[in-house]
Amino acid sequence: MTDALADRVRTAVAAVTDPELRRPLGELDMLREISVRGTVAEVGIALTIVGCPAADRIEREVREAAASVGGIDAVDVRVGVMSPDERKALTDKLRGSRAKREMPFGPDSLTRVIAVTSGKGGVGKSTVTANLAVALAARGLRVGLVDADVHGFSIPGLLGLVDADGLPPAPTRLDDLILPPVAYGVKVISIGMFLRRPGEDAAGAVAWRGPMLHRTVQQFLTDVFFGDLDVLLLDMPPGTGDVAISVGQLLPHAEVLVVTTPQAAAADVAVRSGLVARQAGQRPIGVIENMAAMTLPDGSVLDLFGAGGGTEVARALSSDGVDVPLLASVPLSTALRTGGDDGRPVVLSSPDDPAAQAIDAAAAALAVRPRGLAGRSLPLSV
């Protein structure tokens, strides 16, 4: 009876998910000896590293899982740490057949890669990207987000991945793998997570030129363990500079989503970012117009930045029978702005806000086409 009860406890604990790796502890070989004495379960687990930031949560959920088994009245959890050999075996398992530093999001990947770009800065591209990622995750998709705007990183703050000082957390390192923090179901990586220094109360600035920028983006794509994703979003820097060129080289098959504001000055430049992406082999799939006209309480309409820019960008990028649609026109919104300041995406905090509804509509349009094998040649032989 005791052995059978111990087996039931092991089954329950094995199903607990590591919050960073998003896989069950049993699959990650993190369980150790599990026994039952009377009605007391003794459960051993091994964390990946010393000081694992998810240690308290894992221990709590393991305790709750074991206590949920009928016949168990108390749980004693013993927490250890994996040996170097165990950690290496785990990283090899996570990497699978992929060699170290091999690109996991190449042309054969089933993950949709969408680069969100703009011509000019200040059009709300990062705010749109963060909310779009959260809206896609809320629809049940597995979503990753790379903050490729190295000089102007802002994604951690927009998603609330900051401490009391407003600084992003350092990601957990598992030997040569980097585990991205998770916010609202989205796995996130940003250079801001690597710039904090002891005793400083602000993240450092980045003053890098082309080769360093290229290496940073490449490491984000190869050394960060995102796991199996449905969608990977890249928050690109504005314009057509070094990072845009690097992403074009590293991910020539990526799709491109262009963000603009309604006025012609922004729309004209936004078209260029889409054209440069097309020159790299990437495919523009849509346009989002931000800061569009808003309806005031008295029913009047305020088009602070004019109108029609998003439609014009979509028209200019449509060619050769390929339609690039205007996916959404996001109105000016106080809730969108305050949500970004507070790290609470408007698509979750104020879902009835017109801006939230517009972004969610864009997410719905993107989610219509799931990843899959359609149109791919399979390596089969007769």
Side-chain angles (χ1 to χ4, degrees), residues 37-55:
R37 296 185 182 183
T39 61
V40 178
E42 298 179 347
V43 180
I45 59 174
L47 302 178
T48 53
I49 59 171
V50 176
C52 172

Side-chain angles (χ1 to χ4, degrees), residues 109-342:
S109 170
L110 294 182
T111 299
R112 287 188 69 187
V113 180
I114 302 175
V116 185
T117 186
S118 68
K120 299 175 71 67
V123 301
K125 169 187 52 62
S126 296
T127 298
V128 168
T129 306
N131 278 275
L132 193 59
V134 173
L136 288 168
R139 291 177 174 272
L141 299 181
R142 290 164 292 190
V143 182
L145 174 51
V146 171
D147 190 353
D149 193 351
V150 177
H151 290 138
F153 59 89
S154 59
I155 290 295
L158 291 169
L159 291 177
L161 280 173
V162 291
D163 59 18
D165 296 322
L167 298 176
T172 300
R173 292 177 180 267
L174 185 59
D175 290 344
D176 56 355
L177 285 182
I178 299 171
L179 307 184
V182 180
Y184 304 105
V186 178
K187 295 182 178 181
V188 184
I189 198 69
S190 171
I191 194 63
M193 298 172 180
F194 300 89
L195 298 180
R196 183 172 185 173
R197 298 179 178 86
E200 294 186 355
D201 59 0
V206 176
W208 293 343
R209 302 177 78 174
M212 281 293 290
L213 294 172
H214 179 90
R215 181 63 181 146
T216 298
V217 174
Q218 185 177 44
Q219 283 190 288
F220 282 171
L221 295 171
T222 58
D223 293 357
V224 177
F225 177 72
F226 285 103
D228 188 22
L229 296 179
D230 294 304
V231 180
L232 177 68
L233 294 174
L234 284 80
D235 182 40
M236 300 289 290
T240 56
D242 291 321
V243 172
I245 295 171
S246 292
V247 170
Q249 293 173 343
L250 296 168
L251 300 168
H253 61 291
E255 299 170 315
V256 175
L257 183 62
V258 179
V259 178
T260 185
T261 47
Q263 75 268 38
D268 290 346
V269 184
V271 171
R272 297 175 206 162
S273 67
L275 294 177
V276 167
R278 182 172 283 156
Q279 290 173 8
Q282 299 169 331
R283 183 170 68 91
I285 57 170
V287 176
I288 293 181
E289 182 184 70
N290 192 31
M291 304 183 195
M294 68 181 297
T295 302
L296 300 177
D298 64 0
S300 61
V301 175
L302 173 65
D303 53 351
L304 189 62
F305 294 102
T311 300
E312 179 58 28
V313 173
R315 185 200 62 76
L317 292 178
S318 297
S319 63
D320 300 326
V322 177
D323 178 49
V324 178
L326 176 64
L327 295 179
S329 186
V330 183
L332 285 164
S333 166
T334 300
L336 180 61
R337 192 269 303 167
T338 57
D341 289 342
D342 297 338

Side-chain angles (χ1 to χ4, degrees), residues 366-377:
L366 293 174
V368 164
R369 202 202 85 187
R371 69 181 191 166
L373 294 172
R376 297 173 183 263
S377 60

Side-chain angles (χ1 to χ4, degrees), residues 17-156:
T17 300
D18 183 294
E20 293 183 303
L21 295 171
R22 295 299 182 93
R23 294 191 185 181
L25 301 187
E27 182 182 327
L28 297 173
D29 298 325
M30 293 174 67
L31 303 186
R32 296 298 178 261
E33 184 179 354
I34 296 178
S35 60
V36 175
R37 296 185 182 183
T39 61
V40 178
E42 298 179 347
V43 180
I45 59 174
L47 302 178
T48 53
I49 59 171
V50 176
C52 172
D56 291 343
R57 175 176 170 180
I58 293 174
E59 181 178 353
R60 181 182 69 254
E61 294 185 358
V62 164
R63 189 181 304 279
E64 292 172 351
S68 70
V69 176
I72 298 298
D73 295 329
V75 181
D76 178 20
V77 180
R78 299 184 297 275
V79 180
V81 179
M82 285 183 170
S83 68
D85 288 343
E86 290 173 330
R87 249 190 328 272
K88 183 180 184 306
L90 176 58
T91 57
D92 289 344
K93 174 184 289 189
L94 294 174
R95 207 178 264 117
S97 61
R98 182 169 60 89
K100 183 178 179 181
R101 299 196 186 284
E102 180 182 340
M103 174 64 67
F105 303 111
D108 294 330
S109 170
L110 294 182
T111 299
R112 287 188 69 187
V113 180
I114 302 175
V116 185
T117 186
S118 68
K120 299 175 71 67
V123 301
K125 169 187 52 62
S126 296
T127 298
V128 168
T129 306
N131 278 275
L132 193 59
V134 173
L136 288 168
R139 291 177 174 272
L141 299 181
R142 290 164 292 190
V143 182
L145 174 51
V146 171
D147 190 353
D149 193 351
V150 177
H151 290 138
F153 59 89
S154 59
I155 290 295

